[in-house]
Amino acid sequence: LIGANVMILADNSRSMNEPILHPAYDPDTRYTGNFDAASEYYVTRTQAYTPRSFNRRWVSSPSANLVASDNGEDGRYSGNYLNWIFFHANATQLASLPQQTRIQLLKTVLSDLITRSARLNFGLTKFQLGHGGSVVGKCGSNYTSLLAQIAGLTANAWTPLGEATETVLDYFTD
């Protein structure tokens, strides 16, 4: 497999600004609480929040550490998950909330994969804002450059999976 070309299609869609969910949270359960379960709520900074942080008329406890995303993007929390955090999670669960967004975890995994797989020629494609994909690192790119491209990924695009896959196919057929 020395020299095999591997093009990574990284998901940099806005949904990647959502946090990694606590394993005790069940997304199929509708949790009661002050938050609208069907709405999204945004956090601009990684810090401790209370329900009152979202509405000054709500209770001021408990406190939970919530996480913002990378490159100036807000962390995106579903109201249902916030209801679980603030009105159903126990103290141990609150203390062990994952402190990463999906894009942050993706960057860690991709960087580790590239660093550990020196026998492969990696490239990187990401979603464009409105349509398709963009090859930001050709297969065989310098690893330092590729790792910098990964570190700079911002979750601010839609998810044009079909068009982005066609971009990768075109890359290999041109």
Side-chain angles (χ1 to χ4, degrees):
L1 289 176
I2 294 175
N5 292 325
V6 177
M7 180 60 73
I8 296 168
L9 176 54
D11 184 350
N12 62 313
S13 65
R14 286 183 176 93
S15 67
M16 296 295 281
N17 291 317
E18 294 174 10
I20 302 301
L21 303 175
H22 192 282
Y25 169 72
D26 179 1
D28 294 326
T29 299
R30 187 176 180 105
Y31 294 95
T32 58
N34 292 352
F35 296 91
D36 178 351
S39 293
E40 276 193 331
Y41 297 82
Y42 302 94
V43 299
T44 57
R45 286 188 294 259
T46 299
Q47 64 183 30
Y49 288 85
T50 68
R52 184 170 287 166
S53 303
F54 296 90
N55 184 319
R56 64 183 174 87
R57 289 173 278 170
W58 293 350
V59 296
S60 59
S61 66
S63 177
N65 289 320
L66 303 182
V67 62
S69 199
D70 284 2
N71 300 323
E73 295 293 318
D74 295 339
R76 299 170 65 151
Y77 284 77
S78 76
N80 197 47
Y81 187 44
L82 291 174
N83 281 333
W84 178 81
I85 289 171
F86 291 116
F87 301 103
H88 296 274
N90 62 40
T92 302
Q93 292 166 331
L94 284 176
S96 64
L97 288 175
Q99 295 297 293
Q100 279 189 310
T101 60
R102 294 166 159 193
I103 192 75
Q104 292 164 340
L105 180 59
L106 174 69
K107 290 177 182 186
T108 300
V109 169
L110 291 181
S111 295
D112 185 53
L113 174 69
I114 288 169
T115 302
R116 294 175 44 175
S117 305
R119 295 173 52 183
L120 300 173
N121 297 320
F122 285 102
L124 181 66
T125 300
K126 66 178 186 171
F127 295 135
Q128 290 183 4
L129 289 179
H131 63 283
S134 176
V135 175
V136 295
K138 295 182 177 185
C139 290
S141 292
N142 172 293
Y143 277 23
T144 303
S145 170
L146 205 50
L147 291 172
Q149 288 287 345
I150 290 168
L153 286 173
T154 301
N156 62 357
W158 297 103
T159 315
L161 186 57
E163 294 167 324
T165 303
E166 186 174 352
T167 298
V168 172
L169 178 63
D170 290 345
Y171 173 82
F172 283 110
T173 57
D174 285 343

